[in-house]
């Protein structure tokens, strides 16, 4: 056996062991990202419904109507008589607002924000390395409809809330939140299980 063939044999064994080590049992950040993103179907959009009309009784409702009337996304027209106890406003989408409409048959649902997966920030394995908890960032980017609907709609409110305490900033900024998912090692590789 020559020194050259001994080195080649040793190199072949090291390569084989190295390749085997990177097989189905390993979970890298990029692999975790790919599996979580595919399972949760990132990017995703948060959909909210814009009512056809709204009955206004309170000052808070009047403030919301005022926001709608200032908006370039919908028009708010009063359809009740001025002397009525309850004022009813009907909403119609403007051309600018129609670009956020979804393909839903009712034609009243809009995309309020886009949710994308950020970086994997950590992976914690159990003792057997057969289960892992993956922590990652989620970015929530509100659009104009989320900002408009936030006072009325809990989902839109979630789109516009941030970790910052500055109230003026909360209605306009994207949010970055932490999320976690559990993965488990199966015979065919890692899968998201929760």
């Amino acid at each position: 056996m020559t020194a050259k063939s001994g080195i080649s044999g040793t190199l072949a064994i090291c390569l084989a062991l190295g390749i085997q080590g990177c097989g189905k049992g390993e979970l890298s950040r990029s692999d975790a990202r790919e599996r979580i993103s595919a399972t949760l179907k990132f990017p995703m959009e948060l959909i909210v419904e814009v009512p056809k009309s709204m009955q206004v009784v309170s000052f808070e409702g009047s403030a919301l109507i005022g926001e709608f009337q200032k908006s370039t996304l919908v028009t708010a027209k009063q359809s009740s008589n001025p002397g009525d106890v309850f004022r009813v406003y009907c909403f119609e989408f403007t051309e600018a607002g129609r670009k956020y409409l979804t393909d839903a048959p009712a034609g009243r649902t809009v995309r309020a924000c886009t949710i994308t997966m950020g970086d994997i920030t950590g992976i914690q394995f159990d003792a057997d390395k057969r289960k892992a908890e993956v922590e990652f960032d989620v970015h929530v980017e509100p659009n104009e409809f989320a900002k408009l609907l936030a006072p009325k709609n809990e989902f839109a409110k979630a789109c516009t809330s941030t970790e910052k305490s500055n109230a003026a900033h909360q209605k306009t900024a994207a949010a970055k939140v932490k999320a976690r998912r559990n993965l488990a090692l199966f015979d065919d590789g890692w899968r998201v299980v929760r």
Side-chain angles (χ1 to χ4, degrees), residues 29 33 117-122 135-139 178:
R29 286 181 180 221
R33 178 182 172 74
M117 184 174 178
D119 294 330
I120 300 288
T121 56
E135 183 181 84
F136 56 97
D137 291 329
V138 174
H139 300 277
K178 294 283 184 199

Side-chain angles (χ1 to χ4, degrees), residues 3-144:
K4 186 176 182 181
S5 67
I7 292 173
S8 296
T10 305
L11 184 58
I13 290 170
C14 288
L15 282 174
L17 290 174
I19 291 170
Q20 185 180 9
C22 294
K24 294 178 186 171
E26 296 292 318
L27 180 64
S28 67
R29 286 181 180 221
S30 62
D31 189 35
R33 178 182 172 74
E34 181 180 312
R35 293 181 189 284
I36 292 169
S37 185
T39 301
L40 299 180
K41 298 181 179 14
F42 284 110
M44 62 179 84
E45 292 179 321
L46 181 69
I47 308 297
V48 296
E49 186 172 345
V50 176
K52 286 185 179 184
S53 63
M54 178 185 286
Q55 193 174 34
V56 178
V57 189
S58 66
F59 178 74
E60 183 181 303
S62 296
L64 180 62
I65 294 299
E67 290 295 313
F68 271 52
Q69 288 173 327
K70 286 188 257 178
S71 164
T72 60
L73 304 173
V74 292
T75 58
K77 294 180 182 171
Q78 187 170 348
S79 64
S80 56
N81 295 322
D84 291 347
V85 176
F86 300 108
R87 288 175 284 153
V88 177
Y89 290 86
C90 294
F91 306 118
E92 293 296 324
F93 292 99
T94 65
E95 190 172 331
R98 282 194 278 284
K99 74 179 183 181
Y100 296 106
L101 285 170
T102 66
D103 296 332
R108 303 297 303 177
T109 57
V110 294
R111 291 179 279 284
C113 60
T114 302
I115 303 167
T116 56
M117 184 174 178
D119 294 330
I120 300 288
T121 56
I123 301 176
Q124 185 176 22
F125 293 95
D126 71 349
D128 296 334
K129 288 205 164 208
R130 299 193 54 76
K131 293 182 181 171
E133 182 178 60
V134 178
E135 183 181 84
F136 56 97
D137 291 329
V138 174
H139 300 277
V140 181
E141 184 69 42
N143 65 28
E144 294 305 309

